[in-house]
Amino acid sequence: MNKEVGVTFNAGSSNLKIGLFDVGSGAAKRFGRAIVSLGEHPRLKYGSDDDIQEIDLPAASDGLGIQVISSVLDRLLHGDCHIGFVGHRVVHGGLIFKGPTLITGGVMSQIGSLTPMAPLHQPQALNVIDAVFALYPSVIQTASFDTAFHTSQCSLATRLAIPGAMHDAGIRRYGFHGLSYKYIATYLQRFAPYIGGARVVCAHLGNGASLCGMVGGVSIDTSMGFSALDGIPMATRPGAIDPGVLIHLLRSEFTDADKLEDFLYHRCGLLGVSGISGDTQALLEDFRPAAKEALDLFCFRIAGEVGRLAVSTGGVDALVFTGGIGEHQPEIRKGIERHLSWMGLSLNEAANKTNATVLNAKDSAIEAFVIPTDEEQVIADEALAVISQHGLHRGER
């Protein structure tokens, strides 16, 4: 009997995460995962924890196009698998998409129109969607948007201090990493209901990084704004920066906006400060002063953002760390704690060193957790919801 499979694609700026879900029962139960490292020589890593396999993928001029996606699915899906749907993470939904949606030609055009607001991520997602339609023309495809989780925010949180006509045209704060925050909010409601309904600041710390303040599992405010450049410093992105600096750079260093954009996305952040690397693990292993300065700035700005979000949420009952850095790097969490002791945050040293789920010391005024995020699970669950809403049979459009 064929296994009905849901496939999710989570296209980031530097990799493509893939989730495989058994959906035969009508619920999405993960049975596999994989990741494609992007670059000149793409590479696929897949398998279980005790049996990881890596293979080279064919280099393709179209990036995440038909060649790469075909090679990936041929490797991951066996003859007894039938694709019920393919769900995608799309970073920017703008003012158009406030929840998951069925992908049609018109929807793809609308997603494409938002590319200027997410130039690193939006084209990657569209390439994967195009490739899947080329390979499986009749398969159902859905889109889940990172910005959708933050549509609950009030106008004070989304407003920039610019003329109203510009705000109405879409120049405003959106927020990102929404699929991750939605997963954490849902998980907390099950794992610790008394916290899931309280005031929580979640720090999604990875190559891209942001924080979100939630009350009762609802997004109240977040660090990223109009674009994924805003907020705290990231691996190669600067985070919040004085607009006057951008004007100065356009007049003195860069001849056009494209070159400035490339600089802001690829040459700033931890890489720019250290001159060594944007990888926090590499910086933790490097004892030069510039590496320490970059990490100190990273922790300082994260702690400062927790304080700002506390204003929006009316206080902080719990702090959640997620994402690759948040889940696996005790030194970063300890660095953040040093700046938040005034709020009453105290981590248990042994728990922090072992990346335990519950991090806080008994006398801490703020509870602290490490919760691994699962954006692909959210994508799969939302895809099933869209299919049900439209009364579709899985596998068909």
Side-chain angles (χ1 to χ4, degrees):
M1 183 176 178
N2 284 351
K3 177 189 286 189
E4 189 177 7
V5 176
V7 181
T8 63
F9 288 111
N10 182 345
S13 58
S14 59
N15 60 45
L16 173 68
K17 297 175 186 175
I18 302 153
L20 301 175
F21 295 84
D22 186 335
V23 295
S25 67
K29 299 178 181 177
R30 187 194 284 270
F31 69 88
R33 68 182 73 233
I35 186 167
V36 176
S37 300
L38 305 178
E40 188 176 349
H41 303 289
R43 194 164 177 77
L44 171 67
K45 181 188 290 188
Y46 66 101
S48 59
D49 291 339
D50 55 355
D51 184 25
I52 297 293
Q53 299 186 55
E54 291 191 52
I55 62 167
D56 290 322
L57 295 172
S61 59
D62 58 350
L64 290 174
I66 295 174
Q67 239 185 321
V68 169
I69 299 305
S70 177
S71 298
V72 166
L73 293 179
D74 284 348
R75 176 67 61 164
L76 297 180
L77 298 178
H78 304 291
D80 63 343
C81 290
H82 164 70
I83 298 179
F85 66 82
V86 177
H88 301 266
R89 171 200 178 209
V90 178
V91 164
H92 219 304
L95 296 176
I96 304 169
F97 301 104
K98 296 183 176 5
T101 188
L102 184 70
I103 297 177
T104 62
V107 166
M108 288 186 69
S109 295
Q110 290 174 311
I111 292 173
S113 72
L114 300 169
T115 295
M117 294 193 281
L120 287 191
H121 300 84
Q122 216 82 343
Q124 299 277 47
L126 286 168
N127 282 348
V128 179
I129 294 168
D130 271 331
V132 172
F133 273 141
L135 293 166
Y136 305 94
S138 64
V139 77
I140 291 173
Q141 295 198 71
T142 63
S144 294
F145 298 89
D146 261 332
T147 48
F149 182 71
H150 302 297
T151 56
S152 55
Q153 293 179 10
C154 71
S155 60
L156 281 179
T158 62
R159 194 73 160 83
L160 297 172
I162 58 174
M166 291 181 175
H167 175 79
D168 295 341
I171 303 177
R172 42 156 284 172
R173 302 183 77 253
Y174 290 95
F176 301 91
H177 293 129
L179 300 181
S180 177
Y181 295 130
K182 182 175 181 178
Y183 178 83
I184 297 299
T186 303
Y187 182 91
L188 278 175
Q189 294 285 2
R190 297 194 309 267
F191 173 72
Y194 66 101
I195 288 296
R199 302 166 299 182
V200 176
V201 171
C202 182
H204 178 107
L205 307 179
N207 193 49
S210 72
L211 288 86
C212 178
M214 301 181 282
V215 176
V218 175
S219 176
I220 302 299
D221 198 357
T222 187
S223 61
M224 280 184 173
F226 176 75
S227 75
L229 285 169
D230 198 11
I232 61 173
M234 291 162 258
T236 60
R237 292 173 248 169
I241 188 168
D242 182 345
V245 172
L246 307 182
I247 295 169
H248 172 76
L249 290 175
L250 276 173
R251 287 175 173 162
S252 62
E253 299 287 334
F254 302 102
T255 55
D256 59 44
D258 288 342
K259 292 179 180 177
L260 176 59
E261 178 181 76
D262 180 73
F263 169 75
L264 293 171
Y265 274 101
H266 300 292
R267 292 160 53 195
C268 293
L270 300 178
L271 173 62
V273 175
S274 69
I276 299 167
S277 175
D279 185 338
T280 52
Q281 188 58 47
L283 295 175
L284 286 166
E285 295 169 0
D286 193 302
F287 297 100
R288 284 175 282 182
K292 182 178 185 303
E293 181 185 19
L295 293 172
D296 286 348
L297 181 63
F298 186 55
C299 294
F300 178 68
R301 295 297 183 198
I302 292 169
E305 188 62 24
V306 173
R308 190 191 73 80
L309 291 173
V311 173
S312 298
T313 57
V316 179
D317 298 306
L319 179 60
V320 175
F321 294 96
T322 194
I325 296 170
E327 295 167 24
H328 302 295
Q329 294 184 353
E331 301 92 339
I332 299 299
R333 296 192 297 261
K334 187 68 178 176
I336 295 166
E337 178 207 28
R338 292 191 193 102
H339 297 294
L340 293 176
S341 59
W342 65 273
M343 290 182 73
L345 176 66
S346 177
L347 301 184
N348 178 288
E349 188 172 345
N352 188 46
K353 283 183 177 178
T354 57
N355 303 316
T357 300
V358 179
L359 294 177
N360 55 279
K362 288 184 179 179
D363 62 348
S364 179
I366 298 173
E367 299 200 41
F369 304 93
V370 168
I371 300 177
T373 194
D374 193 343
E375 294 167 318
E376 291 78 44
Q377 183 68 56
V378 175
I379 297 167
D381 291 341
E382 290 192 344
L384 287 174
V386 168
I387 291 169
S388 176
Q389 176 188 346
H390 286 269
L392 298 172
H393 296 290
R394 293 190 294 272
E396 302 175 4
R397 277 202 295 164

